[in-house]
Amino acid sequence: MSITADVVDTVLGLRREVAGLHRHLTDYGLVVWTAGNVSARVPGHDLLVIKPSGVAYDDLTPENMVVCDLDGRVVEGEHAPSSDTEAQAYVYRHLPHVGGVVHTHSTFATAWAARGEPVPCVLTMCADEFGGEIPVGPFAIIGDDSIGRGIVETLRGSRSPAVLMRNHGVFTVGPTARAAVKAAVMCEDVARTVHHARALGTPVPIEQSAVDALFDRYQNVYGQR
Ligand SMILES: O=C(CO)[C@@H](O)[C@@H](O)COP(=O)(O)O
């Protein structure tokens, strides 16, 4: 597959967007070294734009982003794509509403993943963004589409845009790559706060009707429409 003339400008814009979004991973302390990545779907085309594997965040540029097809094959780019390209390509193939995917090993959320324990919905911000608990997905070793399959199977059963892959880390999705980055930022914040709440006592669950109302308001009313 090659990049046709009608999609060149779209890809250039996504190269800039995806390269730029990685600074939020470092700004919010969600990654160490190169251990995280962002990708975006190319709307209307079986293509994605993703970070090059193992490249320092300070060295990421629109030019060194990698364009792949949704089987994970490189279509345009001089670098090897992220280790998570196959997993994220699987997500794009099976969740058509997803426009962006993020992967981190952010500390508090990954500590919940290490225990295989979902983050309970005991904060209004968790209800707002995740619509309930932040679920745990199965342990899966990187290298084929088993991580992607675990992400999809888990997210299909949840309103959450985040999944804690057991013993590994965080994957988030969104209608855009920026929305997926936001979900990763809020996932870590909620995981940290609930961790501290648990250390001090027993957090109080929020009634499901309140969770539903909070989620609906935040998803459909909050902010500038
Ligand atoms: O989680 C892992 C490896 O276990 C990778 O996602 C992480 O190191 C980031 O790899 P990339 O630099 O995106 O290839």
Side-chain angles (χ1 to χ4, degrees):
M1 176 185 291
S2 64
I3 296 179
T4 53
D6 65 308
V7 75
V8 167
D9 288 345
T10 302
V11 168
L12 285 174
L14 287 172
R15 283 177 171 276
R16 283 192 291 271
E17 180 184 358
V18 172
L21 284 171
H22 282 85
R23 76 174 184 280
H24 294 305
L25 305 188
T26 52
D27 287 353
Y28 284 98
L30 302 183
V31 293
V32 294
W33 204 243
T34 63
N37 44 64
V38 179
S39 73
R41 180 198 299 271
V42 180
H45 297 270
D46 290 342
L47 296 170
L48 63 86
V49 178
I50 197 165
K51 165 194 156 202
S53 184
V55 175
Y57 294 109
D58 286 346
D59 297 335
L60 294 180
T61 64
E63 294 71 28
N64 62 26
M65 294 297 110
V66 187
V67 183
C68 296
D69 65 21
L70 295 195
D71 291 312
R73 291 184 293 256
V74 176
V75 171
E76 182 185 76
E78 305 300 320
H79 293 75
S82 167
S83 317
D84 296 293
T85 300
E86 280 197 62
Q88 299 191 20
Y90 186 97
V91 172
Y92 289 123
R93 291 201 306 270
H94 291 84
L95 298 179
H97 64 282
V98 171
V101 183
V102 169
H103 173 46
T104 79
H105 303 89
S106 61
T107 302
F108 285 91
T110 303
W112 288 88
R115 299 195 308 274
E117 183 178 358
V119 180
C121 188
V122 295
L123 301 171
T124 57
M125 191 164 97
C126 188
D128 288 347
E129 176 72 10
F130 303 99
E133 72 177 19
I134 301 176
V136 171
F139 176 71
I141 291 181
I142 199 165
D144 56 21
D145 63 14
S146 55
I147 291 179
R149 200 175 316 118
I151 294 167
V152 169
E153 287 167 2
T154 307
L155 290 182
R156 276 203 172 121
S158 168
R159 292 189 295 203
S160 172
V163 51
L164 311 177
M165 293 300 283
R166 185 168 60 82
N167 303 107
H168 183 177
V170 181
F171 283 85
T172 61
V173 300
T176 63
R178 180 176 176 80
V181 169
K182 175 192 174 189
V185 171
M186 296 183 75
C187 176
E188 176 63 5
D189 188 73
V190 166
R192 176 171 49 242
T193 304
V194 181
H195 166 84
H196 287 306
R198 286 267 290 266
L200 298 170
T202 305
V204 180
I206 300 175
E207 286 187 17
Q208 189 57 51
S209 59
V211 171
D212 294 343
L214 286 161
F215 183 69
D216 180 63
R217 184 200 73 88
Y218 191 76
Q219 300 299 320
N220 300 302
V221 176
Y222 173 76
Q224 303 304 313
R225 298 279 159 177

